[in-house]
Amino acid sequence: MIGGTSLRVRPVDLMLTLVSGIAWTVVYVEAIRVGLRDRTYAMPVAALALNFAWEATYAVLEFRQGLSPQGVVNVVWATADMVIVWTYLRFGRAGLPDFVTRPLFAGWSALLFATGFAVQWLFLAHFGMHDATRYSAFLQNLLMSGLFIAMYAARQGPQGQSLTIGVAKWLGTLAPTLLFGVLEDAPFILGLGILCSVFDLAYIGLLLRGPGARVRSLPAPSR
């Protein structure tokens, strides 16, 4: 979910980009597996909307500039996110109050995902591609880190979650934090990356509580 463009690709840049790409791919594959297993969605939906919009937008823009490692990674991520979006659309209404009808759920979901794209395009219009990729990615990743903890609390345990997701997410964010925040000397990115690590490690700590955490079963979606 975090990446960027660079005219010169140094070996360390490529290594950290690949670490981030592999780690986030693990997050997405595990989120699909766990979501199907528990019949729910395994990523907070607001973060999912921003993620999908980010990856789809920058996959297109990267390939317009030519083949790049980050462009390939973005395509892989966007494809995986499409499956996670499907799990949300398939199972998401089951966890909502009864007054949320199918049309209301569909309208809300359409608005949420459209807003995700609007936010990414506003970042792009204001900051340009180089800065927009970084600023939007790290800000929404910090949001995701907090929302994973909120999801754990709302579900009263690790329903639709796993330690693999928590650890891979942390490592997938740490790599670009080092790349952009340290090697490219960007204090704003470094600060956001450190905050992401704080929340990610807190989330990992919650998951390490183990089977003692009570898991609430979600009702099956009505037909």
Side-chain angles (χ1 to χ4, degrees), residues 171-210:
L171 295 176
T173 306
L174 184 61
T177 297
L178 295 174
L179 175 57
F180 303 134
V182 177
L183 297 181
E184 294 189 3
D185 191 24
F188 180 64
I189 298 301
L190 179 60
L192 291 176
I194 290 172
L195 289 173
C196 287
S197 283
V198 170
F199 280 89
D200 289 342
L201 290 171
Y203 179 64
I204 290 170
L206 285 174
L207 294 171
L208 285 173
R209 294 173 61 191

Side-chain angles (χ1 to χ4, degrees), residues 5-23:
T5 58
S6 177
L7 295 178
R8 289 187 308 108
V9 180
R10 299 168 299 183
V12 66
D13 295 4
L14 180 60
M15 181 191 71
L16 290 172
T17 298
L18 290 177
V19 168
S20 178
I22 292 169

Side-chain angles (χ1 to χ4, degrees), residues 10-221:
R10 299 168 299 183
V12 66
D13 295 4
L14 180 60
M15 181 191 71
L16 290 172
T17 298
L18 290 177
V19 168
S20 178
I22 292 169
W24 275 100
T25 301
V26 170
V27 171
Y28 295 150
V29 171
E30 179 70 355
I32 293 168
R33 185 190 73 83
V34 172
L36 293 174
R37 181 196 68 190
D38 294 350
R39 296 182 63 80
T40 185
Y41 55 98
M43 183 179 292
V45 64
L48 176 59
L50 289 167
N51 251 23
F52 179 57
W54 190 98
E55 287 145 7
T57 296
Y58 292 111
V60 172
L61 293 179
E62 285 277 355
F63 276 105
R64 285 177 61 183
Q65 296 183 357
L67 185 65
S68 71
Q70 187 62 50
V72 174
V73 166
N74 289 347
V75 170
V76 172
W77 288 345
T79 303
D81 256 346
M82 290 176 66
V83 183
I84 303 174
V85 170
W86 178 85
T87 63
Y88 162 74
L89 295 174
R90 175 66 179 84
F91 304 118
R93 195 168 71 90
L96 298 174
D98 292 338
F99 73 83
V100 182
T101 62
R102 285 184 181 275
L104 187 59
F105 178 71
W108 162 249
S109 299
L111 176 62
L112 189 63
F113 283 92
T115 300
F117 277 94
V119 168
Q120 301 303 339
W121 297 344
L122 287 169
F123 266 97
L124 189 60
H126 185 77
F127 293 106
M129 186 169 174
H130 181 274
D131 288 340
T133 55
R134 291 152 170 77
Y135 295 164
S136 60
F138 276 88
L139 284 168
Q140 69 196 50
N141 193 44
L142 180 56
L143 172 67
M144 183 192 297
S145 298
L147 289 178
F148 264 115
I149 294 174
M151 186 167 72
Y152 185 99
R155 294 178 177 177
Q156 302 178 45
Q159 177 82 5
Q161 301 157 80
S162 77
L163 186 61
T164 298
I165 292 175
V167 172
K169 179 190 178 306
W170 173 51
L171 295 176
T173 306
L174 184 61
T177 297
L178 295 174
L179 175 57
F180 303 134
V182 177
L183 297 181
E184 294 189 3
D185 191 24
F188 180 64
I189 298 301
L190 179 60
L192 291 176
I194 290 172
L195 289 173
C196 287
S197 283
V198 170
F199 280 89
D200 289 342
L201 290 171
Y203 179 64
I204 290 170
L206 285 174
L207 294 171
L208 285 173
R209 294 173 61 191
R214 184 165 67 89
V215 179
R216 182 183 67 185
S217 297
L218 296 177

